[in-house]
């Protein structure tokens, strides 16, 4: 029936007319039999005529369709055989069943039937075509092709009996143009002499012209090697524009300009260091400059003496293996203190929080900020979800006093509104704060930290005080407290907490200490801090001492100067024990850096890294997803075991030394 409908689309209409005529004939016969017989004979004649006419039309229609199909088949065959692009038909195993002449011209083979296409084009991935994906950038001789696939089922009753038609489109010109564009697109580098003022201040006056001339000569020579444009826009700042094709060589040499400038010795007592921020993929000059400034800010935030390269959404770091140079003036601390004071006065209340699993520095800094806030007559609270063993002793001095308000994350979320200021101390990573949720609830955020800046950062902070040269965040907070008021009130317990924070991060004033570290400690002593009470905060019980000793006793040497130890101790305070063991390993003669690997009760494997300064443990652990600063760093891992982490750590250490040797 469907076929008939297709052959004569008017048949149903004709049938309707015949039915109407039949009804009329019957009606006529009812009134007059003679007229009825005549009408009936006429009706029969009409039926016969309609049948013959319909049959004739159907025959003509069928011939037309058959002729059309033949023409279409001929046209399709002609189109396939004369397709202007290479075409090959393969089975699901890759064997060639058919091809056109363009394909043989492309592969420079005349007889390919029955051969595997992988013998002709090894880079092809047949499995990828089975999922309907295309393959781009297939190289054949000196040309590049994009390959599109079409799956054809030869038998409806057997889905496995299929062939794959591969169409090859020559994209050589587009590929070459893209390559040329990628090579010639502009790269913007912002070069900053980190310690220009300090170098000049420590250089004899008659030698200053030689130092400045040598800096400019080496930076200019670096730009000239890349056929770049260089412009000095301040006495210690340069802008360099060059083509992207030179970038690969810069990365291979790990930005050797950093070492070249550091080696300047023409009368300067302090080595000169550079920070370089580079933007690559900005679609406009404005975006390129924005990326370069973001990279430079990150380089400076990490202590300087390094190059930071912004590639799309990632940053790459080069250099940064030297200690950050201590700044000798207090202007910045004074400016930060006054700005912080104004923000406190403009806020309804202040929430202070450090990082998860708080240590003595995080807690001490939070207490110091808390004191500064309540001295201004404002309501304050400290977010503290967990009292770790590291802070348990010092926490006892504050928990029972009404003046101090400690809250958990849930309470903090309820307290924060648009007029609340949130102060984050001892971390700049949102994910590591005690309550990341409240960062999004207000635009009033102040950040104070002494760690080298990482790619994860609280960008919306209205006031940032990040100084990687500082021994601890407690040192930074102590300085700020001195400038917030003429005679700030600090309780002796608060002074103890701040001094304890400095003591922990300097390993009893043996690491990362500068003039300002001792100035801060002296100020805290004048405010009532007691070194005996502070030392008592660090005393261990007998079991902890034994566990720490067992970790030290199982350490192995790697590259002679690095100690690595693993621990299977199951303890709630394993993180503190591991950190202390890593510190103790540095007391071994010949050891410059130490790493302790252990596992928390929740299954998280972690590394505590420590250094005397010659080895940058931050760079080593950053490659494993961790962070910190030059002498103290850490990393954590989920869903793995200690031995796997140990192997990854050794690989990262080896890579660190290989890159250092190649510089």
């Amino acid at each position: 029936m469907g076929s008939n409908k297709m052959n004569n689309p008017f048949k149903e209409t004709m049938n309707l007319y015949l039915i109407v005529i039949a009804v009329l004939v019957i009606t006529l016969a009812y009134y007059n039999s003679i007229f009825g017989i005549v009408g009936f004979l006429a009706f029969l004649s009409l039926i016969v005529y309609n049948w013959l006419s319909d049959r004739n039309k159907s025959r003509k229609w069928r011939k037309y369709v058959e002729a059309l199909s033949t023409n279409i088949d001929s046209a399709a065959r002609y189109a396939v055989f004369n397709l202007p692009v290479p075409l090959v038909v393969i089975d699901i195993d890759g064997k060639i069943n058919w091809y056109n002449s363009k394909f043989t011209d492309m592969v420079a083979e005349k007889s390919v039937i029955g051969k595997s296409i992988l013998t002709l084009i090894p880079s092809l991935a047949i499995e990828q075509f089975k999922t309907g994906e295309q393959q781009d950038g297939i190289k054949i001789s000196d040309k590049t092709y994009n390959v599109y696939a079409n799956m054809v089922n030869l038998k409806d009753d057997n889905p496995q009996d299929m062939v794959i038609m591969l169409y090859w489109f020559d994209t050589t010109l587009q590929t070459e143009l893209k390559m040329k564009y990628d090579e010639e697109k502009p790269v913007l580098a912002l070069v900053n002499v980190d310690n220009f003022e300090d170098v000049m201040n420590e250089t004899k006056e008659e030698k200053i012209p030689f130092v400045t001339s040598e800096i400019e000569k080496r930076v200019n020579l670096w730009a000239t090697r890349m056929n770049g444009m260089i412009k000095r826009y301040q006495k210690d700042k340069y802008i360099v524009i060059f083509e992207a094709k030179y970038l690969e060589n810069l990365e291979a040499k790990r930005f050797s300009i950093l070492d070249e400038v550091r080696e300047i010795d023409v009368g300067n007592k302090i080595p000169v260091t550079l920070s370089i921020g580079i933007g690559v993929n900005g679609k406009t000059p404005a975006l390129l400059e924005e990326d370069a400034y973001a990279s430079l800010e990150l380089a400076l935030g990490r202590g300087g003496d390094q190059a930071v390269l912004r590639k799309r959404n990632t940053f790459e770091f080069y250099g940064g293996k030297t200690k950050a140079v201590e700044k000798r003036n207090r202007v910045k601390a004074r400016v930060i203190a006054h700005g912080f004071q104004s923000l406190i006065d403009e806020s309804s209340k202040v929430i202070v929080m450090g990082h998860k699993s708080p240590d003595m520095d995080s807690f001490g800094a939070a207490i110091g900020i808390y004191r500064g806030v309540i001295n201004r007559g404002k309501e304050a609270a400290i977010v503290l979800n967990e009292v770790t063993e590291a802070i348990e002793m010092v926490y006892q001095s504050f928990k029972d006093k009404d003046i101090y308000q400690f809250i958990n994350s849930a309470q903090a979320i309820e307290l924060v509104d648009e007029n609340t200021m949130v102060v984050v101390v001892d971390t700049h990573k949102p994910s590591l704060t005690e309550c990341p949720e409240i960062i999004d609830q207000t635009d009033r955020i102040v950040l104070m930290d002494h760690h080298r800046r990482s790619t994860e950062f609280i960008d919306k902070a209205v006031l940032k005080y990040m100084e990687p040269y500082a021994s601890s965040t407690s040192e930074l907070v102590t300085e700020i407290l001195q400038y917030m008021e003429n005679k700030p009130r600090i309780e002796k317990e608060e002074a103890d907490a701040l001094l304890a924070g400095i003591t922990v991060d300097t390993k009893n004033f043996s690491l990362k200490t500068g003039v300002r570290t001792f100035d801060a400690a002296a100020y805290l002593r004048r405010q009532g801090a007691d070194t005996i009470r502070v030392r008592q905060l660090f005393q261990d019980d007998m079991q902890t001492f034994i566990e720490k000793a067992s970790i030290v006793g199982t350490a192995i040497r790697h590259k002679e100067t690095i100690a690595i130890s693993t621990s299977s101790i199951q303890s709630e305070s394993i993180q503190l024990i591991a950190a202390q063991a890593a510190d103790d390993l540095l007391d071994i003669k010949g050891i410059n850096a130490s790493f302790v690997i252990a596992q928390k009760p929740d299954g998280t494997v972690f590394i505590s890294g420590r250094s005397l300064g010659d080895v940058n443990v931050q760079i080593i652990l950053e490659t494993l997803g961790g962070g910190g600063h030059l002498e103290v760093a850490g990393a954590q891992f989920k869903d793995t075991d200690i031995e796997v982490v140990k192997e990854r750590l050794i690989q990262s250490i080896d890579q660190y030394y290989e890159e250092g040797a190649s510089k």
Side-chain angles (χ1 to χ4, degrees):
M1 184 178 292
S3 176
N4 290 338
K5 285 181 181 180
M6 179 190 73
N7 290 338
N8 189 352
F10 300 103
K11 185 173 182 181
E12 287 188 0
T13 305
M14 293 298 297
N15 289 340
L16 180 61
Y17 293 158
L18 291 174
I19 292 171
V20 172
I21 293 171
V23 172
L24 292 174
V25 169
I26 294 171
T27 304
L28 186 62
Y30 177 77
Y31 289 101
N32 190 312
S33 59
I34 295 175
F35 285 152
I37 293 171
V38 173
F40 178 73
L41 293 174
F43 177 69
L44 288 177
S45 299
L46 186 60
I47 290 176
V48 171
Y49 172 78
N50 182 61
W51 177 78
L52 292 174
S53 177
D54 184 63
R55 184 178 177 186
N56 185 46
K57 289 179 180 179
S58 297
R59 184 166 53 251
K60 289 180 179 180
W61 179 262
R62 188 160 45 267
K63 286 182 179 181
Y64 170 76
V65 171
E66 288 173 354
L68 181 62
S69 299
T70 302
N71 292 337
I72 291 175
D73 289 342
S74 299
R77 284 194 296 270
Y78 179 84
V80 169
F81 279 105
N82 296 278
L83 200 66
V85 298
L87 171 64
V88 62
V89 180
I90 62 174
D91 62 21
I92 58 175
D93 295 322
K95 187 173 69 175
I96 296 175
N97 293 339
W98 185 89
Y99 58 90
N100 66 1
S101 58
K102 296 286 185 181
F103 179 78
T104 53
D105 292 341
M106 180 184 72
V107 297
E109 291 276 348
K110 293 301 180 185
S111 179
V112 296
I113 290 290
K115 291 184 179 180
S116 172
I117 196 168
L118 296 178
T119 62
L120 301 173
I121 309 167
S123 59
L124 214 58
I126 297 176
E127 291 299 322
Q128 187 173 324
F129 293 129
K130 295 177 182 178
T131 60
E133 299 178 36
Q134 72 179 62
Q135 290 185 45
D136 297 337
I138 301 296
K139 298 287 292 183
I140 300 177
S141 186
D142 59 345
K143 293 192 174 184
T144 306
Y145 294 87
N146 288 352
V147 188
Y148 297 85
N150 184 22
M151 301 285 291
V152 180
N153 194 347
L154 299 178
K155 296 180 180 179
D156 293 337
D157 58 345
N158 185 8
Q160 298 300 318
D161 194 2
M162 303 184 74
V163 294
I164 307 173
M165 302 179 70
L166 301 180
Y167 303 87
W168 303 72
F169 293 90
D170 188 348
T171 59
T172 306
L173 180 60
Q174 296 93 312
T175 303
E176 290 176 350
L177 287 173
K178 182 179 182 301
M179 186 180 300
K180 188 175 183 180
Y181 167 76
D182 288 339
E183 288 180 348
E184 295 181 355
K185 68 182 179 181
V187 173
L188 178 64
L190 298 175
V191 182
N192 186 82
V193 183
D194 298 325
N195 53 350
F196 186 84
E197 293 294 340
D198 291 337
V199 171
M200 296 303 114
N201 291 337
E202 295 297 323
T203 302
K204 291 183 179 180
E205 188 173 350
E206 65 270 17
K207 296 291 185 181
I208 289 177
F210 296 99
V211 177
T212 55
S213 174
E214 192 65 23
I215 293 172
E216 186 151 350
K217 184 180 80 172
R218 298 198 184 196
V219 175
N220 273 280
L221 181 60
W222 175 68
T224 303
R225 292 192 201 117
M226 303 179 293
N227 294 321
M229 183 279 290
I230 181 169
K231 181 72 175 178
R232 186 177 71 171
Y233 61 96
Q234 288 185 24
K235 60 184 178 182
D236 58 347
K237 293 178 175 61
Y238 302 82
I239 183 169
V240 182
I241 300 175
F242 57 92
E243 293 180 338
K245 62 184 176 183
Y246 296 102
L247 200 56
E248 184 177 351
N249 185 49
L250 289 178
E251 293 183 87
K253 293 183 177 180
R254 306 197 65 76
F255 287 84
S256 57
I257 181 64
L258 299 171
D259 302 302
E260 293 170 12
V261 170
R262 200 184 308 112
E263 291 166 0
I264 292 175
D265 186 8
V266 286
N268 51 300
K269 296 179 181 179
I270 301 175
V272 182
T273 63
L274 297 181
S275 288
I276 305 175
I278 301 175
V280 181
N281 294 303
K283 293 182 179 180
T284 65
L287 291 175
L288 202 63
E289 182 188 35
E290 184 179 317
D291 286 350
Y293 269 113
S295 299
L296 180 61
E297 185 180 357
L298 188 52
L300 293 170
R302 291 164 56 85
D305 189 27
Q306 58 193 283
V308 177
L309 180 64
R310 178 75 181 266
K311 286 186 174 180
R312 292 184 173 85
N313 295 321
T314 62
F315 290 93
E316 295 184 8
F317 306 96
Y318 300 90
K321 296 189 177 183
T322 61
K323 292 183 180 180
V325 180
E326 181 182 8
K327 306 297 185 294
R328 298 181 180 274
N329 64 74
R330 298 175 181 269
V331 175
K332 186 173 182 179
R334 187 179 294 109
V335 171
I336 293 291
H338 290 165
F340 183 48
Q341 180 177 307
S342 298
L343 287 171
I344 294 173
D345 295 341
E346 294 169 3
S347 303
S348 59
K349 53 184 171 293
V350 179
I351 304 295
V352 188
M353 66 175 173
H355 53 74
K356 295 174 182 176
S357 300
D359 56 16
M360 198 72 80
D361 186 31
S362 174
F363 185 82
I367 288 292
I369 293 296
Y370 188 94
R371 167 50 63 185
V373 173
I374 61 176
N375 280 351
R376 303 296 300 174
K378 293 290 184 176
E379 178 188 352
I382 297 175
V383 183
L384 189 64
N385 293 315
E386 174 189 12
V387 179
T388 61
E389 189 168 340
I391 67 169
E392 186 173 2
M393 292 290 292
V394 69
Y395 175 71
Q396 299 300 322
S397 303
F398 300 93
K399 69 171 186 176
D400 295 327
K401 295 185 177 181
D402 295 336
I403 190 174
Y404 302 106
Q405 183 181 5
F406 296 98
I407 59 175
N408 57 35
S409 292
Q411 292 170 316
I413 293 171
E414 291 293 326
L415 279 177
V416 174
D417 56 35
E418 60 182 10
N419 293 319
T420 302
M421 183 167 70
V422 175
V423 183
V424 179
V425 295
D426 204 33
T427 184
H428 56 266
K429 297 182 178 181
S431 62
L432 293 185
T433 59
E434 287 277 22
C435 185
E437 294 83 1
I438 65 175
I439 293 175
D440 297 324
Q441 290 183 240
T442 180
D443 292 327
R444 296 171 176 266
I445 298 176
V446 174
L447 179 60
M448 297 185 186
D449 190 20
H450 73 117
H451 295 101
R452 289 192 175 197
R453 179 174 168 176
S454 64
T455 52
E456 185 187 357
F457 187 72
I458 303 174
D459 292 309
K460 61 186 294 188
V462 295
L463 183 65
K464 292 176 284 190
Y465 192 27
M466 290 187 62
E467 298 291 351
Y469 72 85
S471 69
S472 57
T473 308
S474 293
E475 176 188 322
L476 298 177
V477 172
T478 300
E479 287 186 342
I480 289 173
L481 287 174
Q482 296 178 62
Y483 294 116
M484 287 182 66
E485 297 180 36
N486 291 330
K487 292 183 179 180
R489 175 189 174 189
I490 301 179
E491 300 294 336
K492 63 179 182 179
E493 294 86 359
E494 297 163 348
D496 284 346
L498 285 164
L499 184 59
I502 297 174
T503 303
V504 164
D505 276 22
T506 59
K507 308 299 176 287
N508 290 316
F509 294 88
S510 62
L511 296 175
K512 247 196 145 197
T513 52
V515 173
R516 292 170 66 171
T517 309
F518 290 102
D519 286 347
Y523 172 76
L524 294 172
R525 284 284 287 135
R526 292 194 297 271
Q527 297 303 314
D530 188 292
T531 54
I532 300 300
R533 289 198 304 267
V534 170
R535 179 165 183 170
Q536 289 173 342
L537 296 175
F538 304 123
Q539 288 182 323
D540 297 323
D541 57 35
M542 181 62 73
Q543 182 61 31
T544 300
F545 187 85
I546 293 171
E547 290 173 346
K548 186 167 58 175
S550 70
I551 294 175
V552 174
T554 58
I556 62 170
R557 284 180 180 262
H558 183 67
K559 293 189 177 294
E560 298 301 322
T561 61
I562 294 180
I564 301 176
S565 181
T566 59
S567 173
S568 58
I569 295 172
Q570 299 295 318
S571 171
E572 292 292 334
S573 57
I574 184 59
Q575 198 163 5
L576 176 62
I577 295 170
Q580 292 177 347
D583 290 332
D584 291 346
L585 284 169
L586 294 179
D587 294 333
I588 299 174
K589 186 176 181 180
I591 295 298
N592 293 329
S594 63
F595 298 91
V596 175
I597 308 171
Q599 192 170 36
K600 296 181 183 179
D602 64 2
T604 302
V605 177
F606 67 91
I607 303 175
S608 285
R610 299 292 185 270
S611 170
L612 292 175
D614 293 334
V615 178
N616 192 325
V617 292
Q618 180 208 12
I619 290 180
I620 292 174
L621 293 183
E622 265 189 341
T623 61
L624 302 177
H629 46 78
L630 189 146
E631 288 119 345
V632 180
Q636 297 190 8
F637 310 87
K638 296 284 188 181
D639 303 321
T640 188
D641 57 54
I642 290 176
E643 289 303 316
V644 171
V645 172
K646 180 180 178 182
E647 289 300 317
R648 291 181 60 190
L649 173 62
I650 291 173
Q651 291 173 7
S652 181
I653 294 171
D654 292 343
Q655 179 184 343
Y656 173 84
Y657 277 93
E658 287 170 6
E659 292 176 352
S662 66
K663 292 179 66 174

